[in-house]
Amino acid sequence: MDLDLGLLLLRVALGPMLFLHGWNKVYGGGGLTGTAGWFEGLGLRPGWLHARLAAGTELTAGVLMSLGLLTGIAATAFVGLMLVATLTDHRGKGYFVFKGGWEYTVLVATVAVGLAATGPGEWSLDHLLGLDLAGLAWAAVAAVGGSVAAAALLGVARRPIAAQQQ
């Protein structure tokens, strides 16, 4: 029971945080238009597509992680999102998040891989539905799969401003 409580606490810390990041991309400040402009500034083109892709992935993965549903798949999405954030918005700013660094994104991705390894616990929809999407293989899927997805996205869509001016 102590383990299940700990896993639930990790999930309800991680899941809603990512969901709210997605919500903010859609409904916060400048909405999707502002998010699209921000992504364009990061070199992710077309910005309108990446704003929707990131927001949708954050909303979905956040809900899945919160509920403990398809946990290994949700963790994969977390890793992909956090790696893209690390390599675009946080790159070159050092480690500490208070300086804009990658401390936060790497921590979030690592905890997600940890949850893929342990599973969401008995207090989850995975457990209720009899889904076994946890263990060493799922931790590898989350880490490697999320990294490959991030690399593919950046390889196809990242066009830094400096490269366009040359």
Side-chain angles (χ1 to χ4, degrees):
M1 181 165 159
D2 293 340
L3 176 62
D4 294 314
L5 175 60
L7 294 170
L8 175 66
L9 289 173
L10 285 173
R11 288 192 350 258
V12 299
L14 212 57
M17 175 277 307
L18 193 65
F19 177 87
L20 290 172
H21 273 256
W23 185 269
N24 188 59
K25 283 178 175 63
V26 177
Y27 299 108
L32 281 172
T33 302
T35 302
W38 175 50
F39 281 169
E40 287 275 341
L42 293 174
L44 294 171
R45 298 196 170 64
W48 66 267
L49 176 62
H50 291 283
R52 285 159 178 78
L53 181 62
T57 305
E58 289 173 347
L59 291 166
T60 303
V63 168
L64 291 175
M65 187 63 77
S66 297
L67 297 174
L69 178 62
L70 305 174
T71 305
I73 295 167
T76 304
F78 269 78
V79 171
L81 288 160
M82 293 300 109
L83 186 54
V84 169
T86 299
L87 295 173
T88 57
D89 194 30
H90 300 276
R91 185 178 185 166
K93 298 177 183 174
Y95 174 73
F96 295 106
V97 71
F98 60 84
K99 293 182 179 182
W102 45 270
E103 169 186 22
Y104 165 78
T105 56
V106 171
L107 176 65
V108 169
T110 304
V111 172
V113 172
L115 283 167
T118 63
E122 289 189 13
W123 300 345
S124 68
L125 289 180
D126 278 356
H127 178 75
L128 182 68
L129 298 171
L131 300 175
D132 187 17
L133 303 177
L136 180 59
W138 276 102
V141 166
V144 175
S147 297
V148 167
L153 182 135
L154 292 172
V156 169
R158 185 144 194 257
R159 303 292 174 260
I161 294 169
Q164 286 185 340
Q165 294 173 347
Q166 293 177 352

